[in-house]
Amino acid sequence: MAGIKDVARRAGVSVGTVSNVINRPASVSPETRGRVQAAIAELGYVRSESARQLRAGSSRIVALLVLDMGNPFFVDIARGAERAARAAGLGVMVCNSDQSATEEAAYLSLFAEQRVLGVLVTPADPTGKSLEDFGRHGIPSVLVDRVASGATSCAVSVDDVHGGTLAVRHLVAAGHRSIAFVTGPPELRQIQDRRKGALAALQEAGLPPETLVEISTGRLDVAAGRDAGARLVGLVPRPTAVFCVNDLLALGVLQSLYAAGVKVPQDMAIVGYDDIEFAAAAAVPLTSVRQPAVLMGRMAAELLLEEAGYAGDGEHLHRGVMLQPELVVRASSILPH
Ligand code: RIB
């Protein structure tokens, strides 16, 4: 008796795609759908109804897997997702990969065992392997804060290249010609894009890439920011401005500058990224590139609910949504007149 894996192999697609053709045919392109249906006919594959019921499950829980539970950015993502899920009578369970690909894989296995309704995830694994394996369970997932790559799932992101450009364009316009760049793990796409945008701002101003003095960190939290700030204070010559790839790093840098008696913005202008609630509340209100995090979370949940058949008219095509960032200027980067 041919199984679903035989059909997938014959059609040259993943088991998840075969499952989608059976359970959510509209989510698969007509060409692929035709190949899978031909393979099913050729092999005489018959779906096990109990397996289908098991796969469909009756879970009403959506899993949200974030990179860093300590980052208020993800609290806002969760807030948006939870409201959208609640409106459909569902619940959201928030889990933390803590930037670990191993933790991500372990959680995805747990979600599959528990037959959650679907998964919203900001990937930690740059290879995408654990998400690819997870897709074979036929449980829908949506990438959050990640640009869509391929048509295997929906994705909601922000144009982080433009966000990096907004930050550095602002500092260049304020007259800075030596700008520290406190960056995070290079394997994260959102960090790569912010760096790309920062360099684009220099290029458009006719400034050399060396204008950006990179200070790399392994984490994206306040402690890593304090460490980066201490290194920034010790640079000779010292840059006159710093762009941090997120607000937690910027708040840590601010602490170290204060401890060293470096005045902000007089001696050092600072720009962060995310515009978390604490940015405006900082000792020196932080200029930041705002991400519409609550909207991101809501849109990601709505895409998942549509794919899972809880919203829309039963039709679903995978799509990537890219939102726009916005520069919010505060006291940390503008000299008082
Ligand atoms: O979690 C790391 C960072 O990536 C967050 O601060 C947010 O900027 C996200 O895009």
Side-chain angles (χ1 to χ4, degrees):
M1 169 75 81
I4 194 168
K5 287 180 181 172
D6 303 310
V7 173
R9 197 174 303 114
R10 172 68 68 91
V13 299
S14 71
V15 167
T17 300
V18 176
S19 173
N20 280 339
V21 168
I22 295 168
N23 295 312
R24 290 179 292 277
S27 69
V28 181
S29 72
E31 188 272 332
T32 302
R33 195 163 60 222
R35 282 212 326 271
V36 171
Q37 287 166 343
I40 288 172
E42 287 159 21
L43 295 172
Y45 168 71
V46 177
R47 173 181 68 202
S48 150
E49 189 54 28
S50 58
R52 190 199 69 75
Q53 284 169 4
L54 182 65
R55 186 164 37 252
S58 58
S59 171
R60 294 170 58 202
I61 295 296
V62 169
L64 169 63
L65 183 54
V66 300
L67 267 182
D68 175 5
M69 191 90 89
N71 186 338
F73 168 79
F74 291 105
V75 172
D76 288 340
I77 294 275
R79 186 176 292 136
E82 189 272 341
R83 285 294 88 199
R86 203 77 206 102
L90 306 172
V92 173
M93 165 179 68
V94 184
C95 299
N96 182 22
S97 68
D98 198 25
Q99 290 182 221
S100 157
T102 308
E103 274 293 275
E104 177 177 292
Y107 263 122
L108 290 172
S109 298
L110 178 64
F111 298 156
E113 285 162 27
Q114 294 301 310
R115 314 301 312 162
V116 298
L117 175 77
V119 177
L120 305 171
V121 52
T122 300
D125 178 358
T127 70
K129 174 83 173 60
S130 52
L131 268 172
E132 186 185 335
D133 294 344
F134 178 75
R136 297 195 176 92
H137 295 283
I139 298 175
S141 63
V142 175
L143 300 180
V144 184
D145 187 34
R146 184 54 49 83
V147 180
S149 57
T152 54
S153 66
C154 292
V156 178
S157 63
V158 167
D159 184 347
D160 283 316
V161 175
H162 183 54
T165 297
L166 288 174
V168 172
R169 186 184 286 165
H170 169 66
L171 292 170
V172 168
H176 297 287
R177 292 299 178 267
S178 176
I179 300 169
F181 178 50
V182 176
T183 185
E187 68 272 13
L188 291 177
R189 172 69 185 272
Q190 59 265 49
I191 305 306
Q192 294 165 7
D193 285 352
R194 290 168 204 173
R195 183 177 183 279
K196 196 184 294 182
L199 291 172
L202 296 180
Q203 190 172 19
E204 80 180 10
L207 295 171
E210 298 74 36
T211 306
L212 219 50
V213 181
E214 296 208 16
I215 300 175
S216 59
T217 70
R219 301 273 314 165
L220 289 158
D221 53 24
V222 173
R226 277 196 294 270
D227 171 64
R231 287 149 65 192
L232 171 60
V233 168
L235 288 179
V236 178
R238 186 191 297 165
T240 59
V242 56
F243 167 37
C244 301
V245 291
N246 82 355
D247 286 345
L248 294 184
L249 288 170
L251 294 173
V253 167
L254 194 57
Q255 283 181 342
S256 291
L257 294 177
Y258 179 78
V262 177
K263 294 184 180 62
V264 175
Q266 295 84 336
D267 303 332
M268 181 74 66
I270 304 184
V271 175
Y273 204 103
D274 292 341
D275 197 28
I276 59 175
E277 191 177 351
F278 303 115
V284 180
L286 185 65
T287 292
S288 185
V289 178
R290 184 178 184 281
Q291 292 204 75
V294 173
L295 176 61
M296 289 168 79
R298 196 188 85 215
M299 293 184 81
E302 288 171 348
L303 286 168
L304 186 74
L305 296 178
E306 182 188 275
E307 184 172 353
Y310 273 82
D313 56 5
E315 295 290 312
H316 177 78
L317 285 176
H318 291 325
R319 50 195 183 276
V321 176
M322 182 175 275
L323 303 171
Q324 287 307 309
E326 171 197 1
L327 180 69
V328 180
V329 179
R330 299 190 177 99
S332 73
S333 67
I334 289 292
L335 284 173
H337 293 302

